[in-house]
Amino acid sequence: FIKMIHSVIFDMDGVIVLSESIYTKIFVDMINRDLGLKIKSTDFEKYNGIRFEKRIENICSDNGINLEDEKYIEMSNKGRHEYATNSMQSLKLNIGILDFLKELKSRGMHIGVGSNGSKKIVEELLVSLGIRDYFESVIAFEDVDHPKPQPDIYLENANNLFVDTQDCLVFEDSISGITAAKRAGMKCVALTTTMDRMQLIDADLIIDNFTEIDVDKLDEI
């Protein structure tokens, strides 16, 4: 029995688009301003791949601050709004991904997006980058009961694409994303866009960008 990859599913931030550093600046500035802290970008980046509400809660916990759940949601929505309003236009696609998407499409591969982010922002971003038509399935936070590191986002993508989980390959950039893909029974390629290689060792393959991946060899991963 030879496993055949029929579907490729991409995380959004840090995988399709190089957005994590922009998100980090927005949220670090907001947290320091609103909560009177002096956290650094590394304090926020160590929680990459986790919903912003949880990241802010973890940072508050690390600094002995307890807020109502509504406050974490309010701050997260505020940061997302600033990103969507002021920063989305300056985002760039990850290196090599457009050619990779074109190659996948030419081979008849099923292509999806699985993001812990907001559905509205993910959809708007795909449209603004001119790549929405490549994706048959877009699953975001609101579409599932449990976000990453639970497997729901990737399982729902497989369901939408009418493919078996073992025939899916996931591209991720965070520990929680890799965990979600593995729990879904999928192979996972990690990109070093937001974490260093040592943090990504649970992935089946680690690359720096999409110029390092060969569509003809996906079944060998």
Side-chain angles (χ1 to χ4, degrees):
F1 173 74
I2 300 175
K3 174 182 63 65
M4 297 289 289
I5 296 299
H6 297 298
S7 175
V8 179
I9 307 170
F10 299 86
D11 176 43
M12 187 74 198
D13 296 298
V15 175
I16 293 175
V17 67
L18 300 174
S19 53
E20 286 291 355
S21 62
I22 297 175
Y23 267 126
T24 295
K25 184 178 188 319
I26 288 171
F27 276 86
V28 166
D29 288 349
M30 179 182 65
I31 289 167
N32 286 339
R33 181 180 64 246
D34 292 2
L35 299 180
L37 296 176
K38 294 182 178 179
I39 68 166
K40 300 175 182 177
S41 62
T42 49
D43 297 320
F44 194 75
E45 288 167 349
K46 70 182 179 181
Y47 299 115
N48 277 345
I50 301 172
R51 288 281 292 175
F52 292 122
E53 289 85 349
K54 193 65 179 176
R55 292 199 214 185
I56 297 171
E57 183 181 346
N58 287 338
I59 288 167
C60 286
S61 178
D62 291 346
N63 288 275
I65 297 173
N66 289 303
L67 302 175
E68 297 291 330
D69 289 346
E70 289 76 13
K71 182 63 176 176
Y72 299 127
I73 295 169
E74 176 190 323
M75 291 181 70
S76 297
N77 288 337
K78 181 179 174 183
R80 290 188 185 101
H81 176 74
E82 183 176 338
Y83 170 80
T85 305
N86 301 319
S87 302
M88 196 179 283
Q89 296 75 18
S90 63
L91 292 174
K92 292 182 173 62
L93 286 170
N94 207 340
I95 298 168
I97 190 169
L98 186 55
D99 287 338
F100 188 63
L101 287 170
K102 289 177 180 177
E103 191 67 25
L104 291 174
K105 201 74 170 177
S106 72
R107 308 294 178 88
M109 292 276 196
H110 301 291
I111 311 174
V113 174
S115 173
N116 259 357
S118 146
K119 182 78 169 232
K120 181 174 183 290
I121 290 178
V122 170
E123 288 280 9
E124 286 180 359
L125 191 48
L126 291 173
V127 171
S128 70
L129 292 166
I131 59 172
R132 178 63 183 87
D133 289 345
Y134 285 101
F135 302 97
E136 299 169 53
S137 173
V138 176
I139 301 297
F141 173 76
E142 299 92 330
D143 298 316
V144 295
D145 292 331
H146 305 289
K148 305 172 193 175
Q150 297 306 317
D152 302 35
I153 282 172
Y154 287 123
L155 292 174
E156 189 62 25
N157 259 297
N159 185 54
N160 273 5
L161 296 169
F162 301 101
V163 293
D164 292 330
T165 56
Q166 66 263 30
D167 297 330
C168 297
L169 177 65
V170 171
F171 284 87
E172 268 288 353
D173 69 319
S174 69
I175 295 169
S176 68
I178 295 169
T179 302
K182 290 298 194 177
R183 286 176 174 173
M186 301 176 182
K187 292 280 189 174
C188 185
V189 176
L191 288 108
T192 60
T193 44
T194 52
M195 291 185 165
D196 63 49
R197 285 175 177 266
M198 288 305 296
Q199 294 173 291
L200 304 170
I201 55 172
D202 287 337
D204 297 286
L205 178 68
I206 302 173
I207 60 174
D208 293 322
N209 60 63
F210 287 95
T211 65
E212 299 174 17
I213 195 85
D214 186 343
V215 174
D216 289 324
K217 297 182 178 179
L218 298 184
D219 293 332
E220 299 173 15
I221 294 171

